[in-house]
Amino acid sequence: MALNCHAKKVVAVFKIQHLSSLPKSGFFILSGGSNVILPEQLDATVIMPRLMGMQVLEENQDTVIIEVGAGENWHDLVVSCTQKGWYGLENLVMIPGLVGAAPVQNIGAYGVSLQEVLVGVKAYRLSTAKHYYIKNAQCQFGYRSSIFKQAKELLITSVLLRLHKNSQKVCADYADLQPLLADKPISPLAVMQAVSNVRRQKLPNPDELPNCGSFFQNPLIDKKSFETLKQTHQAPHYVVDNNTVKVPAAWLIDRAGLKGGGVAPILTHKSHALVLTNHAPHLATQKNIKLSQDFIIKMVKDAFGIVLVREPVWVFEDGSCECLSQSVQEVCLP
Ligand code: NAP
């Protein structure tokens, strides 16, 4: 969000051997910084994992298992794998940030989420100086959530992914992708290009207009109580399971009259209401963001009886942070 932040000390880690020299407490682990909201003063040692490299662990004619360092750029990894004919990541192109952050919120886009390709995660617990291998099933993956959201003392060092080589196997269902794929043979490369184009059209470039992507999670709503809302609003929704539907947060914000709105200088983006943008880079503070966030939450709650939950990580002065996970909620119209 381009907020000014003064940290006590910053340490970048380039080698596994350097992990043992890191502090055991009083730290804050910062990956690419694209999904965090920082305070003006950070009284903690900021640790930046910059462990690089990619190696093939196993390969056959159908699949390949790769291990990728936490410091690699996520988008570059997606492009390079897709170009190599290793598929499964193409829908996740242009998600900002580094590989090590991807499992934390189980990044997902256009019908694919990381948990579908992740084999496991290698991590280091700073407090005990121990290395761990955490298998997919142990990561407690959910919709934009994982065990890593709570286990903040774990520094992810690398991520293992299983990719496939079948160019016919793609996920191209999302409505936004359809017009871009209409006249072409569908392939992972075509899907990657379509997703890139949609993202370029819809999302502001953080280098030009500071933002941290989607600011709110798409709410999960109890299906029965959603019927109440449907009586008065034609809200779009997607079935998650027998009891739950997912409602686009962008639609709720837009219909609450807040597209381009909020509390200045933190305003929702004119072409995508889910993205909060900072119109006073390096001047706005966490306080400004909180004012705008709370205003949007209140307006949406008053209009639809749905409580939006913030997606980015909120960092406090002592380096502790708040990662919110949502649970299925009922519509509570006033
Ligand atoms: P969008 O495509 O306008 O979709 C809005 C909401 O509708 C999302 O909750 C999306 O589900 C859902 N949706 C749309 N088409 C669907 C379908 N065919 N089946 C099931 N659900 C459907 O969303 P957007 O804000 O422009 O973002 C585009 C994509 O990037 C979305 O998939 C979004 O989740 C993803 N994204 C992810 C992150 C992250 O990982 N933190 C951040 C920003 C955006 P899903 O959320 O399940 O896709």
Side-chain angles (χ1 to χ4, degrees), residues 58-64 165:
E58 267 178 57
E59 183 166 14
N60 59 37
Q61 58 179 27
D62 301 321
T63 58
V64 57
K165 299 183 182 179

Side-chain angles (χ1 to χ4, degrees), residues 24 58 80 87 113 117 192-193 269 271 286 303:
K24 294 195 165 21
E58 267 178 57
S80 110
Y87 307 129
S113 54
V117 293
M192 185 173 82
Q193 281 158 355
H269 193 243
S271 57
Q286 266 188 339

Side-chain angles (χ1 to χ4, degrees), residues 105 107-111 143-144 173-174 176 199 202 214 218 238 246 248 272 274 311:
Q105 56 160 317
I107 56 167
Y110 301 99
Y143 185 58
R144 308 287 178 264
D173 303 339
Y174 271 45
D176 271 0
R199 290 190 75 113
K202 277 177 82 171
S214 302
N218 292 307
Y238 299 93
K246 182 178 50 180
H272 199 337
L274 195 50
E311 197 213 60

Side-chain angles (χ1 to χ4, degrees), residues 49-114:
R50 293 296 179 265
L51 300 150
M52 310 304 283
M54 197 269 283
Q55 55 169 320
V56 174
L57 300 184
E58 267 178 57
E59 183 166 14
N60 59 37
Q61 58 179 27
D62 301 321
T63 58
V64 57
I65 297 180
I66 56 173
E67 179 174 357
V68 192
E72 293 288 345
N73 177 284
W74 176 263
H75 167 79
D76 293 347
L77 174 75
V78 174
V79 173
S80 110
C81 288
T82 310
Q83 285 172 347
K84 282 187 176 86
W86 300 345
Y87 307 129
L89 301 178
E90 52 282 354
N91 296 51
L92 307 179
V93 72
M94 282 186 73
I95 294 183
L98 307 181
V99 168
V104 180
Q105 56 160 317
N106 185 18
I107 56 167
Y110 301 99
V112 172
S113 54
L114 183 75

Side-chain angles (χ1 to χ4, degrees), residues 80-300:
S80 110
C81 288
T82 310
Q83 285 172 347
K84 282 187 176 86
W86 300 345
Y87 307 129
L89 301 178
E90 52 282 354
N91 296 51
L92 307 179
V93 72
M94 282 186 73
I95 294 183
L98 307 181
V99 168
V104 180
Q105 56 160 317
N106 185 18
I107 56 167
Y110 301 99
V112 172
S113 54
L114 183 75
Q115 73 182 96
E116 290 156 49
V117 293
L118 185 128
V119 178
V121 168
K122 287 189 183 171
Y124 177 80
R125 191 189 291 271
L126 284 115
S127 56
T128 53
K130 276 197 178 151
H131 290 271
Y132 293 87
Y133 176 66
I134 304 154
K135 289 188 217 158
N136 181 317
Q138 298 168 313
C139 294
Q140 295 176 16
F141 284 127
Y143 185 58
R144 308 287 178 264
S145 77
S146 75
I147 197 173
F148 306 106
K149 274 198 162 177
Q150 307 316 326
K152 300 192 188 71
E153 74 282 16
L154 282 179
L155 183 151
I156 294 174
T157 55
S158 65
V159 167
L160 278 69
L161 305 172
R162 180 184 285 107
L163 305 177
H164 68 85
K165 299 183 182 179
N166 180 355
S167 62
Q168 304 299 306
K169 199 171 130 192
V170 289
C171 175
D173 303 339
Y174 271 45
D176 271 0
L177 304 180
Q178 300 304 320
L180 293 149
L181 292 168
D183 313 321
K184 291 180 194 153
I186 295 186
S187 67
L189 201 61
V191 169
M192 185 173 82
Q193 281 158 355
V195 172
S196 303
N197 287 338
V198 174
R199 290 190 75 113
R200 252 183 238 114
Q201 280 162 22
K202 277 177 82 171
L203 297 169
N205 179 344
D207 294 334
E208 289 159 17
L209 180 56
N211 70 83
C212 48
S214 302
F215 193 84
F216 296 103
Q217 303 181 31
N218 292 307
L220 299 172
I221 310 293
D222 166 72
K223 205 172 178 179
K224 238 183 182 168
S225 79
F226 182 71
E227 297 300 321
T228 344
L229 185 69
K230 264 178 49 188
Q231 288 167 11
T232 44
H233 296 92
Q234 290 299 310
H237 58 283
Y238 299 93
V239 174
V240 175
D241 58 37
N242 284 344
N243 305 317
T244 319
V245 295
K246 182 178 50 180
V247 179
W251 186 90
L252 296 169
I253 298 169
D254 187 351
R255 294 305 164 98
L258 291 171
K259 201 173 203 174
V263 181
I266 307 297
L267 303 173
T268 69
H269 193 243
K270 285 194 186 104
S271 57
H272 199 337
L274 195 50
V275 180
L276 274 195
T277 55
N278 179 359
H279 292 261
H282 306 295
L283 290 174
T285 64
Q286 266 188 339
K287 248 188 215 155
N288 296 103
I289 295 177
K290 182 140 188 356
L291 277 175
S292 206
Q293 164 200 286
D294 291 350
F295 175 68
I296 295 166
I297 291 175
K298 182 177 183 312
M299 294 289 281
V300 168

